[in-house]
Amino acid sequence: MLHVSKPVSQTSAQVSKKSKKSVRRKARSNYNNGNFVIRGFLERLGTARALTVWLLFKYGEHDQLVRDFSNVDPSRYGDTHIEIERLRKDYAASRFFSKTADLSTTIDKTRVAIDSAKAAESLCEKTNQYIKEIRQGSVRNPFDAEWFRAKQIIADILGEVPGSFESVGWSKGRTTSCSGTEISSVHKYTGQLDVTWSAQIPLLREMRNAHNWSAAVLDADGPCSILRSALNVVRGNVMITVPKNAKTDRVICYEPHGNIRVQLNVGSYIRHRLRKAGVDLNDQSVNQRRAQVGSYDGRYATIDLSAASDTIALELVYELLPIDWAILLDSLRSKETLWPDKEWRKNEKFSSMGNGFTFELESLIFYALARSVSSDVSVYGDDIIIPVKSFTDVINVLKGAGFIPNEGKSFSTGTNFRESCGFDGFCGVDVTPVYLRSLPKTRGDIVKLHNQIRRWVEVTPDRRWADFLKSIRMSSPHHLGPKGYGDGHYHVNFEEATPRKVDPSWETGWWYRTTTVRFRVSTLYGDRVHGRFSGKFGYAALCSATGPKRSFSAVDMTADRRLVVTKDIRAIATEWQSITFV
């Protein structure tokens, strides 16, 4: 008799076990490929410092790596081509892990960040007391003339307080009412109206004619108006820490829901006034170009400040800004902060990172203080560039106002190195390093690191680097495409990608494939397929579609990060930059 064995069906548990093993194998493969890229990059730098950095990383000596090998002294390098290239390689090796947040160190980065915040508050308290003593006449201000000129500059830039501010909508960050995955514009228009006591009237003015927003907040049957009783008065903002680099976290404070909306309006207005005065906070290239010129001929010095936004003292704002502007900004800020230890503390600083006008306010103050000394000034936040001859005087004025120059990031005489707005230059050459923000864990991480290395190689395109980059692509295959169109594909030369040309009767360019991030519409709002909204979400969607940052896409309105998916797509490149390796 012929016996036919039946195929054995796999149970769901067996399938699940196999899939888990597959995921683990894939993770191991990505980890090994990531280490291959790290080792290959440091080996090809070919310097003693690069070898030391690799060995410290390989054998888990991450504390020493971060503490002793995270920077170089540019003054120890000459200005010949060989010396410039030697600095560029040593600098690349030293800074490679400097911003890696997931190194295995014993540093309590959260504690370091909170201790820095406490030190900044203590400094602001001293500055406030110092300014009060100046007003009382018990001490003399050695920079009285510079402060007077700074006041005039600020008054000229700001002008009179307008009767109303243009609404600019929401930012992308969290608030006291919206956090986690629920920070889309739809969520924010339905969020509870948390607001500090002094910001109630400005918020009510903002919502005076926003009847759909009011309906979304109240879950009303139709458009309506908000009364003061609908506001939820809170004490202030909330402090948290977020990853910054290998040595410390970053302290930020997320604002009450209503405060951030009106803060952003005022911040946008100050940004507009600064732009009219020649300070464009939408363009970092001005500082980057001036930093490169300064590194070449020594004409300009670059200044960076430590904890800049956290050291703008309350009384300094009242001292330098016109009184009506100071009162306005004071009414919108959070005067108290809930610290991570769950204690409410009164703020000695004026505002923190997370406030909607902090960046514009600090740029305004630093520009005015620097301009009180020199007419040749460019500013982007706390990145200040002034002529070398004015360096000492500007540093003294900043110190007199309670600020702390970062000596490790401020450069004038004695070196041809300059750093500003993400650009690092030495003798006119771009030496900006590759920063490994996190250890590679996925193929996407490897692709992004490959592209960073390729950008670094562009300055001196040695043939050995071409072979190394190709080995990365072979070890972890993915799409090939042009530079300048995101990091969803490897950046390669045109002849390697061999793309197909687009039909010229339709479009000019070449086809390439890439991986992109897409957001799916959440069922929370109603119909997933058609993007329909109901109830309070319907009014919130209407606000998103007709408001300041209008969007008619249900996907853009909701953008729930819980439902992020990656998708391979075909796209068109209109230009293709290639590197000639020698």
Side-chain angles (χ1 to χ4, degrees):
M1 180 180 291
L2 182 64
H3 294 279
V4 179
S5 59
K6 293 182 180 180
V8 180
S9 60
Q10 292 181 323
T11 65
S12 60
Q14 289 174 320
V15 173
S16 176
K17 192 173 182 180
K18 281 190 174 183
S19 65
K20 287 181 179 178
K21 284 183 178 180
S22 175
V23 169
R24 283 197 295 268
R25 278 198 303 271
K26 192 172 182 180
R28 263 198 312 273
S29 174
N30 288 329
Y31 173 79
N32 291 332
N33 287 339
N35 275 352
F36 164 74
V37 177
I38 293 171
R39 176 180 177 177
F41 175 66
L42 293 171
E43 280 185 346
R44 278 159 183 77
L45 290 177
T47 66
R49 179 170 283 265
L51 175 61
T52 303
V53 168
W54 163 247
L55 291 175
L56 290 173
F57 171 73
K58 178 181 178 180
Y59 292 107
E61 299 293 336
H62 295 175
D63 279 345
Q64 186 179 359
L65 174 62
V66 171
R67 184 180 64 249
D68 300 333
F69 290 90
S70 61
N71 217 332
V72 297
D73 181 3
S75 64
R76 298 177 61 183
Y77 298 80
D79 57 1
T80 64
H81 174 75
I82 294 176
E83 285 291 287
I84 293 172
E85 189 61 19
R86 187 167 72 91
L87 173 133
R88 189 166 176 268
K89 291 179 177 180
D90 282 349
Y91 190 59
S94 299
R95 301 296 289 168
F96 188 63
F97 290 108
S98 64
K99 296 186 179 182
T100 309
D102 50 355
L103 290 178
S104 300
T105 66
T106 60
I107 302 171
D108 187 345
K109 292 183 286 187
T110 300
R111 174 50 53 192
V112 172
I114 293 174
D115 287 345
S116 297
K118 289 180 178 178
E121 276 294 282
S122 178
L123 180 61
C124 285
E125 184 179 9
K126 293 177 182 177
T127 303
N128 288 334
Q129 184 60 36
Y130 172 66
I131 293 175
K132 289 176 183 177
E133 291 174 356
I134 291 175
R135 291 184 189 138
Q136 294 167 359
S138 55
V139 297
R140 188 183 69 85
N141 182 8
F143 303 104
D144 189 59
E146 287 82 0
W147 284 24
F148 180 76
R149 285 196 290 272
K151 292 177 188 179
Q152 291 179 314
I153 293 167
I154 290 174
D156 289 341
I157 291 174
L158 292 179
E160 296 182 357
V161 176
S164 62
F165 294 92
E166 180 183 358
S167 182
V168 297
W170 300 104
S171 62
K172 295 180 180 179
R174 68 183 293 182
T175 69
T176 54
S177 299
C178 297
S179 61
T181 58
E182 299 183 349
I183 57 172
S184 67
S185 60
V186 166
H187 278 111
K188 287 181 177 175
Y189 278 114
T190 59
Q192 178 176 266
L193 294 175
D194 294 342
V195 63
T196 56
W197 185 86
S198 59
Q200 292 178 87
I201 300 304
L203 178 59
L204 289 172
R205 287 176 181 165
E206 170 77 0
M207 299 187 68
R208 182 168 46 200
N209 298 315
H211 304 305
N212 290 322
W213 181 8
S214 301
V217 171
L218 299 175
D219 197 9
D221 292 334
C224 58
S225 297
I226 281 283
L227 299 178
R228 192 165 183 169
S229 58
L231 306 182
N232 181 46
V233 178
V234 296
R235 294 180 65 174
N237 55 22
V238 181
M239 180 186 291
I240 59 171
T241 59
V242 295
K244 180 182 179 183
N245 56 40
K247 293 182 178 180
T248 180
D249 285 345
R250 185 192 305 277
V251 165
I252 63 171
C253 298
Y254 58 90
E255 294 289 312
H257 196 68
N259 286 57
I260 188 66
R261 178 72 181 229
V262 288
Q263 289 168 1
L264 288 166
N265 296 344
V266 176
S268 175
Y269 181 82
I270 296 174
R271 182 178 292 242
H272 170 71
R273 297 293 297 185
L274 280 167
R275 188 173 185 178
K276 291 183 71 174
V279 182
D280 189 355
L281 298 183
N282 297 322
D283 183 10
Q284 298 185 52
S285 65
V286 175
N287 268 31
Q288 292 171 344
R289 287 194 300 269
R290 284 165 63 92
Q292 185 169 21
V293 170
S295 72
Y296 178 73
D297 60 15
R299 190 190 321 171
Y300 296 116
T302 57
I303 299 175
D304 183 82
L305 300 176
S306 298
S309 58
D310 285 341
T311 50
I312 300 177
L314 171 63
E315 295 299 335
L316 181 68
V317 173
Y318 271 95
E319 188 68 21
L320 296 181
L321 269 65
I323 188 61
D324 51 351
W325 273 101
I327 292 173
L328 170 67
L329 297 180
D330 194 19
S331 70
L332 304 181
R333 75 184 187 96
S334 291
K335 298 176 178 61
E336 292 183 85
T337 294
L338 180 63
W339 284 58
D341 60 5
K342 305 304 178 184
E343 290 287 332
W344 284 98
R345 293 183 175 90
K346 180 182 176 182
N347 289 321
E348 296 290 341
K349 62 176 170 286
F350 193 81
S351 61
S352 58
M353 289 302 295
N355 179 299
F357 57 68
T358 291
F359 182 70
E360 290 80 7
L361 177 63
E362 70 175 1
S363 300
L364 174 66
I365 290 175
F366 298 146
Y367 175 74
L369 290 173
R371 279 273 283 124
S372 70
V373 175
S374 171
S375 60
D376 189 5
V377 176
S378 64
V379 165
Y380 188 90
D382 65 337
D383 283 339
I384 307 166
I385 299 185
I386 39 90
V388 165
K389 62 183 179 181
S390 304
F391 180 79
T392 302
D393 291 338
V394 172
I395 288 289
N396 290 334
V397 169
L398 291 169
K399 287 181 177 179
F403 300 110
I404 308 173
N406 187 338
E407 295 182 1
K409 287 188 164 186
S410 298
F411 302 95
S412 58
T413 56
T415 177
N416 291 323
F417 188 91
R418 298 293 186 270
E419 174 185 355
S420 184
C421 292
F423 172 85
D424 301 344
F426 184 71
C427 297
V429 177
D430 183 356
V431 298
T432 307
V434 175
Y435 290 108
L436 186 67
R437 302 284 177 174
S438 62
L439 299 177
K441 299 180 181 66
T442 66
R443 183 172 60 181
D445 294 337
I446 295 171
V447 171
K448 187 174 182 180
L449 181 55
H450 166 281
N451 294 342
Q452 286 180 283
I453 294 173
R454 188 177 187 270
R455 283 191 287 270
W456 184 86
V457 169
E458 285 181 5
V459 178
T460 53
D462 192 298
R463 170 58 58 184
R464 293 174 302 171
W465 288 107
D467 297 335
F468 170 59
L469 292 171
K470 188 173 183 178
S471 69
I472 298 175
R473 298 192 290 271
M474 292 178 65
S475 68
S476 187
H478 196 50
H479 306 307
L480 308 179
K483 173 188 173 183
Y485 293 85
D487 288 317
H489 54 272
Y490 287 118
H491 298 169
V492 297
N493 285 353
F494 182 87
E495 57 272 17
E496 179 177 351
T498 59
R500 187 165 63 87
K501 196 169 185 179
V502 180
D503 184 350
S505 64
W506 179 53
E507 184 76 48
T508 302
W510 297 269
W511 289 108
Y512 70 97
R513 295 195 69 82
T514 187
T515 300
T516 185
V517 172
R518 293 289 177 89
F519 297 102
R520 289 161 53 198
V521 180
S522 171
T523 53
L524 172 67
Y525 315 104
D527 186 344
R528 176 193 292 268
V529 177
H530 300 98
R532 293 171 180 161
F533 299 84
S534 59
K536 64 180 181 180
F537 295 113
Y539 289 108
L542 190 58
C543 292
S544 296
T546 59
K549 296 179 180 178
R550 59 189 58 167
S551 170
F552 299 102
S553 166
V555 176
D556 294 337
M557 288 178 187
T558 56
D560 278 355
R561 288 182 293 179
R562 288 172 300 185
L563 301 174
V564 168
V565 293
T566 57
K567 186 176 181 180
D568 290 345
I569 63 169
R570 195 168 67 148
I572 296 174
T574 56
E575 58 181 20
W576 206 298
Q577 299 178 15
S578 294
I579 301 176
T580 303
F581 291 96
V582 294

